[in-house]
Amino acid sequence: MDAIAELESRVKQRAVPRHVGIIMDGNGRWAELRGLPRLEGHREGSQSVREVTRSARRIGVSALTLYAFSSQNWSRPPDEVAGLMELLREYLVKERDEIMGNGIRLAAVGELDKLPRYVKEPLDALREASASNTGMVLTLALSYGGREELVVAVQAIAKKVAAGQLRPEDITEDTLSQATWTSALPPVDLVIRTSGEQRLSNFLLWQTAYAEFVFSPIAWPDFRGREFAEALLHFQTRERRFGLTGAQLRRAGT
């Protein structure tokens, strides 16, 4: 058994997080440190996407959400945005066989209508083709922002109230959860952010209310299956209390 397989085996011996979100940070800086164009860092980062997705599937994670392109990333230099969109299209085409062959269901969240047609068409096609797959759900957050998502959710609820379909006093946390783009997914258990930054950057603000966080100093292009398994092992050392005391949890477990 190789080192990564051994790590993954250790993770599977304890409770595995159902939903893991990853803020894939550091591609551009990784490239700049090596005297390469920033886009080469994003290209190398796509290999990390492949390996981490494989590891998550082997371990038994139910849902993996990757922050691939934020609403704010549209403000980056046009040539970088164009390059990112082309890499995304390339990923959707190249990974189709692996996604389908492994029973993965591809989903996407965000302001998807802002994506160029040459990206949206293969994205929609793969989402449709994989819709009946019953394995891990791989969600790409594209043109995504947590605040933007909450605005859309509140607008949808407000329309129901205005139409007389919902009373304001009947609005609950579940009402808002069902109005989000991730309504079909469980709450996020673990957020991993690479490259040493320690902030959410507008990622899944509602869904991460009780998530654990692992901040890795490793840039995303160097973050592979080993690092992913180690992050999950670290998650498994946490005591998740959800507002209770440790003593209450221990009594509940007896």
Side-chain angles (χ1 to χ4, degrees), residues 8 36 121-122 150 167 193:
E8 291 175 351
L36 300 171
E121 287 181 350
L150 290 174
R167 297 186 305 169
R193 180 165 188 155

Side-chain angles (χ1 to χ4, degrees), residues 11-27:
V11 174
K12 289 190 286 187
Q13 291 172 15
R14 302 183 64 183
V16 173
R18 291 183 303 163
H19 188 177
V20 178
I22 303 181
I23 302 172
M24 306 179 293
D25 198 13
N27 291 331

Side-chain angles (χ1 to χ4, degrees), residues 138-156:
L138 172 62
T139 302
L140 303 179
L142 299 167
S143 188
Y144 174 85
R147 288 182 172 181
E148 288 80 354
E149 176 183 30
L150 290 174
V151 168
V152 171
V154 171
Q155 288 174 341

Side-chain angles (χ1 to χ4, degrees), residues 20-25 52 64-68 190-194 203-204 220 223 228:
V20 178
I22 303 181
I23 302 172
M24 306 179 293
D25 198 13
V52 167
L64 177 67
T65 299
L66 305 178
Y67 203 7
L190 170 64
V191 173
I192 301 169
R193 180 165 188 155
T194 60
F203 180 58
L204 298 178
W220 178 247
F223 192 95
F228 179 73

Side-chain angles (χ1 to χ4, degrees), residues 182-193:
T182 62
S183 59
L185 299 175
V188 178
D189 295 309
L190 170 64
V191 173
I192 301 169
R193 180 165 188 155

